[in-house]
Amino acid sequence: MVSLFQLHEMKEKKDITYPTPLKPGDKIAIVSPAGKVNEQQVYDAVEVLKGQGWDPYISSHALGESGSYSGNHRERYADLVEALTDPSVRAIICSRGGYGAVHLLEQLERLPIEKDPKWIVGFSDISALHALMASKGIASVHASMTQAIARGADDEDNATLFAILKGEKPVIKFKSSRFDRPGIASGQLLGGNLAVIADLINTPYNVISPDTILFIEDLEEPIYKIERILYQIKLSGVLSKLKGLIVGQFTEYKSDANYQTMEDMIYNMVSPYHYPVAMDVPFGHVEHNIPLISGAYITLRVNIGGNSSIVFW
């Protein structure tokens, strides 16, 4: 049942389009818009997707190599163009992140993506593609890629991802943290890898915006660098105007002279504000990486009676 609070938020929301739910026999493209990938993980993921009744195929350059990338600029772009413009393709799963998706945004912007929206799945560097989709008013899925999909359909996160692709809006439940700021908020969910989306500020693909619920994660970034990004967001006037903040996993960093943990620093940065903050949520560069629908409208409940959840509208 939709609450009065949600009804008020719904009147204020911008349109967001959900791609068509996948049906048995639908084609899924596996692309590599950034780094080169382990071939066996892709082959194993293909078999898992076939087990769902879908028809996955590996794009022409997805298993290639050009320096640190899966292919040169033209090759990576060509694979995405083919997948985005082929009406028989209903979802696009990125094989991995790395670096390189940002190279493609200007050209992809010119495609009529909104005329036939496809699900795009991935995280990390793929946050750049989620930002592109958000700029077009299209939902996408911040979720694990081929390495994790290869674990099989019984994996909890894969089951959630497949449910989303089939048109479901599962309730995401997670443990509360001592760093949480309890509360309830409703709004549009946007975000991704913090270093990637911070580099898109002042571009057409900026997702760090007032009146949204921001979700963030990152890998191998020192605490002071994440703090510097948060100060940029603060000084721009956005940090104080969020409706909520969801902090995922910040992994492979070291304590410094100022903070023992990333959570300590983020808790301090947002302490002047009053919106709900969920800390230590299981998504990011970790084995348990819960899928999130980027661009969706949600109700975030943080540490209410010891429980936390995300409900997609």
Side-chain angles (χ1 to χ4, degrees):
M1 181 178 293
V2 178
S3 68
L4 290 175
F5 182 51
Q6 288 175 331
L7 285 172
H8 171 74
E9 296 296 332
M10 290 171 72
K11 291 178 182 178
E12 303 296 325
K13 75 177 187 178
K14 301 175 183 177
D15 289 338
I16 186 76
T17 299
Y18 276 67
T20 304
L22 266 64
K23 306 181 302 297
D26 277 348
K27 189 181 292 187
I28 297 176
I30 297 179
V31 301
S32 300
K36 55 189 177 184
V37 68
N38 179 301
E39 292 186 9
Q40 191 58 51
Q41 292 170 358
V42 176
Y43 294 137
D44 291 345
V46 164
E47 294 307 310
V48 174
L49 295 170
K50 285 181 177 178
Q52 294 296 300
W54 297 321
D55 180 21
Y57 77 93
I58 301 170
S59 295
S60 299
H61 307 98
L63 303 181
E65 180 176 352
S66 178
S68 64
Y69 308 115
S70 66
N72 60 37
H73 185 121
R74 179 188 57 77
E75 291 168 336
R76 289 179 287 132
Y77 174 67
D79 282 355
L80 271 170
V81 169
E82 179 184 11
L84 286 165
T85 58
D86 181 346
S88 68
V89 172
R90 303 318 311 159
I92 299 167
I93 294 179
C94 299
S95 68
R96 61 155 295 177
Y99 169 71
V102 70
H103 300 160
L104 311 176
L105 294 186
E106 279 187 298
Q107 288 174 286
L108 293 173
E109 165 70 27
R110 304 183 191 117
L111 298 178
I113 297 171
E114 60 272 26
K115 291 185 178 180
D116 183 23
K118 321 290 179 73
W119 284 113
I120 288 185
V121 179
F123 78 107
S124 191
D125 189 67
I126 307 307
S127 297
L129 297 184
H130 293 313
L132 170 69
M133 299 303 280
S135 74
K136 299 276 190 177
I138 302 168
S140 55
V141 191
H142 183 278
S144 297
M145 299 174 277
T146 53
Q147 180 178 7
I149 290 172
R151 294 198 295 255
D154 292 337
D155 177 86
E156 177 184 359
D157 298 322
N158 288 342
T160 301
L161 169 61
F162 297 160
I164 291 171
L165 294 178
K166 292 173 183 177
E168 298 179 28
K169 294 181 181 178
V171 175
I172 306 297
K173 298 180 179 180
F174 50 93
K175 293 180 180 179
S176 300
S177 164
R178 67 185 180 89
F179 290 102
D180 285 347
R181 182 158 61 225
I184 302 174
S186 291
Q188 188 176 24
L189 180 67
L190 292 169
N193 180 271
L194 186 56
V196 173
I197 62 176
D199 284 343
L200 296 176
I201 292 174
N202 289 330
T203 75
Y205 319 106
N206 179 32
V207 294
I208 303 177
S209 305
D211 299 320
T212 62
I213 297 175
L214 179 66
F215 70 97
I216 57 174
E217 62 83 27
D218 219 318
L219 169 73
E220 294 182 337
E221 294 288 353
I223 293 174
Y224 80 90
K225 286 192 176 181
I226 297 301
E227 183 184 41
R228 186 165 62 194
I229 293 172
L230 292 178
Y231 260 101
Q232 179 188 16
I233 299 170
K234 175 182 179 179
L235 294 173
S236 72
V238 172
L239 193 61
S240 64
K241 296 177 182 175
L242 296 175
K243 289 188 173 180
L245 177 64
I246 305 175
V247 180
Q249 301 300 300
F250 284 75
T251 50
E252 297 185 31
Y253 69 89
K254 296 179 180 179
S255 301
D256 63 24
N258 300 304
Y259 294 102
Q260 281 292 110
T261 69
M262 195 72 75
E263 289 80 8
D264 287 316
M265 181 275 291
I266 296 174
Y267 183 87
N268 182 62
M269 283 292 304
V270 299
S271 61
Y273 315 124
H274 302 290
Y275 47 76
V277 178
M279 292 275 203
D280 198 26
V281 183
F283 67 88
H285 292 77
V286 285
E287 186 169 339
H288 181 23
N289 181 19
I290 59 172
L292 297 171
I293 306 175
S294 175
Y297 284 84
I298 69 165
T299 295
L300 170 67
R301 299 171 61 90
V302 181
N303 209 338
I304 303 299
N307 300 308
S308 297
S309 64
I310 297 169
V311 178
F312 297 104
W313 300 0

